[in-house]
Each structure stands twice: as structure tokens, then as C-alpha cells.
Amino acid sequence: MPNNENKERKIYIRSTKQWVPVTEEIYREYYRPIWRLQKEAQKNCQCLCPKSKLWICDSDCAICEYRAAGNTISLDAPMENADGDGFSLIDTIEDPTSNFSDILVDRLLLKQLLDELSDRDPEGKRICELIMEGSSKTEMAATLQNEFGGDWYKSKVVYHEKQVLDQLRKRIFGLK
């Protein structure tokens, strides 16, 4: 079996359009991440590079002439995380117009409103928490029945939710 460690290989540097002689070990270390990205792009139909041109690949797919759209996912496509919670990819993108101080003020205002609501109306606070969790009205009614007892049904939740949200709007906008 021949010794591949001493075999002289060449790496093509696309930016300078030159071949650089390297050892087998360096060759493999250089091309391993490129090959991985190539295979992934080919699997997703994003690389249409002919076999005779694969040596040109430097894994910079953004500027490659053989790049294709392939299997892409819409940012609005519904997905689920490991916990089964639904989300879309657009939810994971940071808003460039958001300001940290605005977010902090909003969070502090929300905390203050929820604290005040818990003193005045614990059921209303729980309704707000369930709204933020994305619970349906039926789920909210079942949760409130379990936690507070009494007759909680969908229409009662809708009515109480409307009252609580009206109180919060008045409080936020400074209305009495």
C-alpha cells in the first residue's frame, strides 16, 4: 500500500487563479469543508456544477456561476421546534429597526402592567399570559377552570379577555 502522506497534491486558489503544491494532509484539511458544503448543496439541488469543474469550487456559493435556487424554504413556512411549538423562520430574524432601549421599556411596562393586573385581577393576568403563549379560547377556558375553579367557558373567556385588554389599553394610553 503506497504512503499517501508524502504524496504531493495541488490546491487551486480561485482568487489568484493559481495552483499551490501542498502535502496530502493539507490537501484533505483544505478540501474537507469544501466537499461537505458541495455535497450538501448538491443534495439540496443548489449546486449544478459539472463534475469536470468541481476542482474550481472554493465553497463560496454566493458568487458561484453554478449556483441554483434548489430546495429553499419560505420564511413564512410553518415549522415546529423540538417542544412541538409552532413558529416560522421570519420569527427568528432580528428586526434591524428595533432599538434595545425601546424593547427594554416595553418589557418593563409589560411587567409593571402584569404586576398591577395580578393585584387587581389574577384571572385577567392569567388570561394575558395564556394569550402570550398562543392558547386558544377553549384551552384558556380549560386552564382557568383548573386553576381558579368556577364555570369557565369559551364565551366567558372572550368577554373577560376583552375587558382585560380594554383596561390595559386605557392604562397604556393614559386614559382613565
Side-chain angles (χ1 to χ4, degrees):
M1 186 165 174
N3 186 359
N4 288 338
E5 291 300 319
N6 296 330
K7 187 176 179 183
E8 188 80 11
R9 293 286 198 133
K10 292 181 182 178
I11 294 175
Y12 183 72
I13 309 296
R14 192 176 194 176
S15 60
T16 61
K17 296 182 180 177
Q18 292 180 341
W19 288 96
V20 177
V22 294
T23 64
E24 179 73 20
E25 183 181 341
I26 292 173
Y27 174 83
R28 290 194 181 278
E29 287 300 313
Y30 179 80
Y31 277 113
R32 187 171 286 126
I34 293 173
W35 291 333
R36 184 176 46 244
L37 286 171
Q38 252 180 8
K39 294 298 177 195
E40 187 67 27
Q42 289 170 350
K43 195 170 29 173
N44 291 316
C45 304
Q46 295 172 333
C47 179
L48 300 177
C49 187
K51 196 171 188 175
S52 63
K53 299 287 186 180
L54 286 177
W55 58 271
I56 295 174
C57 186
D58 60 357
S59 74
D60 192 358
C61 297
I63 63 168
C64 183
E65 61 188 291
Y66 300 108
R67 185 178 194 286
N71 301 336
T72 55
I73 298 174
S74 169
L75 292 177
D76 292 328
M79 304 178 98
E80 282 188 4
N81 63 14
D83 298 330
D85 298 330
F87 73 99
S88 64
L89 291 176
I90 197 127
D91 297 334
T92 64
I93 298 174
E94 183 179 345
D95 182 6
T97 62
S98 66
N99 184 349
F100 178 73
S101 61
D102 291 343
I103 295 170
L104 185 60
V105 167
D106 289 347
R107 183 170 288 243
L108 290 172
L109 178 62
L110 180 62
K111 184 181 180 332
Q112 182 183 10
L113 288 170
L114 288 175
D115 289 344
E116 186 174 323
L117 195 56
S118 70
D119 293 341
R120 293 183 182 188
D121 184 7
E123 295 163 345
K125 179 184 183 224
R126 186 65 179 129
I127 287 174
C128 289
E129 291 170 348
L130 292 170
I131 290 170
M132 289 187 290
E133 292 172 11
S135 298
S136 71
K137 305 294 187 247
T138 307
E139 293 169 337
M140 291 167 71
T143 303
L144 292 168
Q145 178 118 12
N146 290 340
E147 293 179 10
F148 296 104
D151 278 339
W152 281 95
Y153 39 89
K154 188 176 173 182
S155 60
K156 184 176 180 182
V157 169
V158 170
Y159 176 76
H160 202 82
E161 175 187 7
K162 183 182 178 318
Q163 286 182 323
V164 168
L165 294 177
D166 285 344
Q167 288 175 6
L168 290 176
R169 280 188 201 98
K170 288 177 183 174
R171 178 82 170 118
I172 289 171
F173 295 118
L175 304 172
K176 295 288 176 178

